[in-house]
């Protein structure tokens, strides 16, 4: 890649600084994501349960805000405690604004209803011949580079290459096996900007497209895991689904049941990760030391329980930022071949993984949630079929494609001008972009209207 590109360069080639703007370059990135409509829609997108369930549960917006806050604090702490600036230079530098912006953007690509719709869209696109399918992280990268609206002179938000690189949690395209077949960070359409973003990293002996993540992407990913583990534990203990009270008192029956179900899940996922009963008991014993006595009984919403739960969350987050027993939670590895560039303390990594496993055991397989997801999968699959039919009619029969939202009319018109075999895949990708831009309420209303379940009024605009 050209050596003239710097971390603060942008795909548009716009100047790094503007004389009228008091903000630093990476601060502008943060503000562009924060003020985008793509970020705002996350208020009505599922984190674990539907956003309409109410303020007891995190939605994608509140989750993203907390990931961003934690990513910033982690980056500030790592930078502040790095004794040698050579370490920062060796890992490609770390900027708190970049880490925060990557965290704000990391879930932009989640479609309505979260992971269940992500899987449905991937199947729909694969059937339509789009080999790189649908993946939430790759869609996030596409949104900030192509779909989001800022100014007409450049598609997307025109973020710096440093920020684009930090968004890449999985810096590779879709592969044909292993992890790369299930998780990837960009679609083929964004290959050029992907390569440009990767080009600002330090020289890599494994090659420019090495799957090593940037240091800021590593920090963002750890912040995501910590937030997910701590705040979902809070949510679902209060909801009565996670029996934190019985785990804290180390009920033998509860711990045995937890370990058995966790390992059954790991086997079903063909994962090498297994939960050790003794290790699990140790973690819960440690949690009991941080938690107040009121958490040793089912949640009832008492003031004292709220205080103890808040204290537990605070202690855990501090633990995962600062570290324990004199060992930092995150440590830079300046070796040229180091992967990852930022290493997580193994004890804390295992602890967070165990807390995340609580969701798999007690929440994800709950019959009511599974039933909801079955309906959501049907809604997304039906919407994809109906919207793709409308796009195809517009291209092949010169129909005006009236149900295509105005935000996507320009892409629709470009496809209409140059129909062909390749454009069949472009139509499918456009359809996925449309559905991924919807809130969950919009998706349900649009489904009801297009299927005739509840046609509503022609004066009510659903997508705007």
């Amino acid at each position: 890649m050209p050596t003239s590109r710097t971390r603060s360069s942008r795909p548009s080639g716009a100047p790094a600084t503007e004389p009228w703007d008091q903000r630093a370059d990476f601060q502008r990135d943060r503000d562009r994501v924060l003020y985008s409509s793509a970020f705002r829609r996350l208020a009505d997108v599922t984190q674990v349960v539907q956003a309409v369930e109410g303020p007891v549960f995190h939605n994608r917006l509140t989750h993203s805000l907390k990931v961003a806050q934690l990513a910033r604090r982690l980056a500030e702490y790592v930078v502040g405690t790095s004794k040698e600036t050579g370490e920062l230079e060796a890992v490609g530098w770390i900027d708190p604004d970049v880490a925060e912006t990557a965290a704000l953007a990391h879930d932009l690509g989640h479609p309505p209803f979260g992971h269940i719709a992500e899987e449905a869209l991937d199947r729909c696109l694969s059937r339509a011949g789009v080999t790189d399918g649908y993946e939430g992280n790759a869609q996030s990268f596409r949104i900030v580079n192509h779909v989001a609206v800022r100014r007409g002179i450049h598609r997307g938000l025109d973020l710096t290459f440093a920020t684009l690189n930090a968004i890449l949690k999985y810096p590779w395209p879709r592969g044909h096996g292993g992890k790369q077949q299930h998780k990837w960070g960009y679609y083929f359409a964004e290959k050029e900007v992907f390569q440009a973003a990767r080009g600002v990293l330090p020289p890599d002996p494994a090659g420019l497209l090495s799957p090593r993540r940037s240091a800021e992407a590593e920090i963002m990913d750890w912040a995501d895991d910590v937030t997910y583990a701590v705040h979902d534990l809070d949510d679902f203990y209060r909801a009565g689904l996670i029996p934190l009270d019985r785990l804290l008192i180390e009920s033998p029956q509860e711990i045995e049941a937890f370990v058995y179900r966790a390992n059954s899940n790991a086997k079903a996922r063909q994962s090498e990760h297994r939960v050790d009963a003794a290790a699990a008991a140790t973690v819960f014993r440690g949690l009991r030391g941080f938690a107040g006595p009121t958490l040793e009984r089912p949640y009832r919403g008492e003031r004292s329980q709220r205080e103890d739960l808040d204290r537990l969350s605070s202690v855990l987050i501090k633990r995962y930022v600062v570290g324990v027993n004199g060992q930092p939670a995150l440590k830079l590895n300046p070796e040229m071949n180091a992967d990852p560039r930022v290493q997580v303390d193994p004890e804390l990594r295992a602890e967070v993984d165990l807390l995340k496993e609580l969701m798999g055991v007690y929440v994800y397989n709950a019959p009511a949630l599974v039933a909801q997801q079955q309906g959501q999968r049907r809604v997304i699959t039906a919407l994809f079929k109906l919207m793709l039919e409308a796009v195809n009619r517009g291209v092949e029969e010169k129909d005006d494609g009236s149900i295509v939202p105005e935000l996507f009319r320009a892409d629709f018109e470009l496809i209409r001008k140059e129909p062909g075999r390749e454009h069949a895949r472009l139509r499918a990708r456009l359809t996925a972009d449309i559905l991924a831009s919807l809130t969950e309420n919009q998706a349900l209303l649009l489904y009801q209207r297009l299927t005739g379940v509840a046609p509503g009024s022609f004066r009510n605009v659903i997508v705007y």
Side-chain angles (χ1 to χ4, degrees):
M1 304 303 297
T3 57
S4 60
R5 285 197 176 110
T6 66
R7 278 168 51 86
S8 61
S9 297
R10 299 180 184 275
S12 68
T17 58
E18 298 282 0
W20 48 265
D21 198 334
Q22 86 285 2
R23 297 169 296 174
D25 220 44
F26 299 144
Q27 291 174 332
R28 291 160 65 192
D29 282 359
R30 175 193 176 277
D31 294 349
R32 289 179 185 183
V33 173
L34 187 66
Y35 281 84
S36 68
S37 58
F39 182 72
R40 190 163 63 247
R41 71 170 272 277
L42 296 180
D44 188 24
V45 177
T46 292
Q47 169 65 12
V48 176
V49 298
Q50 292 183 104
V52 295
E53 294 282 355
V56 170
F57 303 104
H58 287 75
N59 56 45
R60 285 284 163 186
L61 182 67
T62 54
H63 167 74
S64 295
L65 288 169
K66 291 184 177 181
V67 176
Q69 181 270 339
L70 187 54
R72 182 175 195 89
R73 295 293 176 256
L74 282 162
E76 290 171 343
Y77 189 76
V78 170
V79 171
T81 55
S82 296
K83 297 178 181 179
E84 299 179 14
T85 56
E87 288 187 351
L88 290 172
E89 184 177 3
V91 300
W93 299 102
I94 294 173
D95 187 284
D97 280 309
V98 170
E100 182 180 5
T101 306
L104 289 171
H106 85 285
D107 270 350
L108 293 180
H110 269 278
F113 315 121
H115 289 297
I116 202 71
E118 190 179 1
E119 295 167 2
L121 285 174
D122 184 44
R123 284 194 294 272
C124 289
L125 284 168
S126 296
R127 293 184 190 126
V130 182
T131 56
D132 50 355
Y134 189 97
E135 209 283 331
N137 293 279
Q139 188 69 20
S140 295
F141 195 72
R142 178 170 173 81
I143 286 171
V144 298
N145 284 296
H146 180 80
V147 179
V149 176
R150 181 177 166 268
R151 292 181 183 171
I153 58 174
H154 184 266
R155 297 300 295 261
L157 301 180
D158 197 23
L159 305 178
T160 63
F161 289 134
T163 296
L164 293 176
N165 198 25
I167 293 171
L168 290 165
K169 186 175 178 179
Y170 306 106
W172 53 76
R174 186 171 204 172
H176 299 290
K179 184 177 182 179
Q180 294 189 8
Q181 185 176 359
H182 303 287
K183 292 289 183 182
W184 61 100
Y186 74 96
Y187 303 130
F188 300 134
E190 284 72 55
K191 182 177 181 179
E192 184 176 344
V193 69
F194 166 80
Q195 290 178 324
R198 299 294 285 167
V200 302
L201 288 172
D204 193 327
L208 179 62
L209 299 183
S210 165
R212 294 196 306 164
R213 297 188 287 200
S214 72
E216 289 141 334
E218 295 283 0
I219 288 172
M220 176 268 288
D221 190 30
W222 177 240
D224 189 20
D225 281 352
V226 169
T227 303
Y228 169 85
V230 174
H231 295 299
D232 284 356
L233 171 64
D234 180 308
D235 283 357
F236 291 96
Y237 164 60
R238 290 196 289 161
L241 290 179
I242 293 180
L244 180 61
D245 51 309
R246 298 197 295 276
L247 294 170
L248 289 180
I249 63 174
E250 298 179 64
S251 163
Q253 296 88 350
E254 194 63 53
I255 289 184
E256 181 180 344
F258 166 72
V259 171
Y260 175 78
R261 292 171 62 186
N263 289 334
S264 297
N265 289 345
K267 184 177 181 180
R269 296 192 303 263
Q270 297 182 331
S271 168
E272 295 179 359
H273 178 68
R274 296 289 186 272
V275 176
D276 178 81
T282 299
V283 169
F284 295 129
R285 192 176 306 122
L287 290 182
R288 187 180 185 185
F290 307 143
T294 67
L295 301 187
E296 294 175 14
R297 59 176 183 263
Y299 184 77
R300 294 201 297 265
E302 304 162 358
R303 183 180 182 87
S304 57
Q305 278 188 314
R306 289 173 178 260
E307 291 173 350
D308 283 347
L309 195 55
D310 182 69
R311 184 183 303 109
L312 175 61
S313 296
S314 180
V315 169
L316 287 177
I317 289 174
K318 182 178 180 181
R319 181 179 177 86
Y320 302 140
V321 171
V322 176
V324 293
N325 302 323
Q327 295 295 319
L330 300 180
K331 184 178 180 181
L332 298 183
N333 192 336
E335 295 295 326
M336 182 171 287
N337 291 317
D339 188 13
R341 291 180 167 91
V342 181
Q343 296 178 326
V344 179
D345 176 82
E347 177 184 344
L348 299 181
R349 174 78 272 174
E351 197 172 291
V352 167
D353 285 345
L354 184 71
L355 294 180
K356 288 170 61 180
E357 197 64 49
L358 291 170
M359 296 295 294
V361 168
Y362 294 109
V363 179
Y364 291 142
N365 293 324
L369 181 60
V370 173
Q372 279 186 345
Q373 291 174 340
Q374 178 67 18
Q376 292 163 352
R377 185 185 293 110
R378 285 194 166 195
V379 168
I380 290 297
T381 302
L383 278 177
F384 184 91
K385 181 176 182 293
L386 291 166
M387 188 63 70
L388 182 58
E389 287 175 352
V391 172
N392 285 336
R393 282 198 306 273
V395 173
E396 296 167 4
E397 302 174 17
K398 303 306 179 183
D399 182 275
D400 67 358
S402 296
I403 70 170
V404 175
E406 288 297 328
L407 175 61
F408 298 95
R409 296 295 297 188
D411 285 343
F412 174 69
E413 293 300 335
L414 283 175
I415 294 173
R416 293 214 314 171
K417 289 178 182 177
E418 299 181 49
R421 179 174 298 179
E422 175 61 27
H423 285 268
R425 289 188 282 272
L426 294 180
R427 298 175 213 168
R429 178 63 69 195
L430 171 63
T431 302
D433 285 343
I434 293 170
L435 298 188
S437 73
L438 301 176
T439 67
E440 293 179 1
N441 186 52
Q442 287 174 329
L444 289 171
L445 290 174
L446 186 60
Y447 171 80
Q448 291 169 357
R449 178 168 293 182
L450 294 180
T451 57
V453 172
S457 170
F458 79 95
R459 293 176 296 179
N460 295 334
V461 178
I462 295 175
V463 182
Y464 49 86

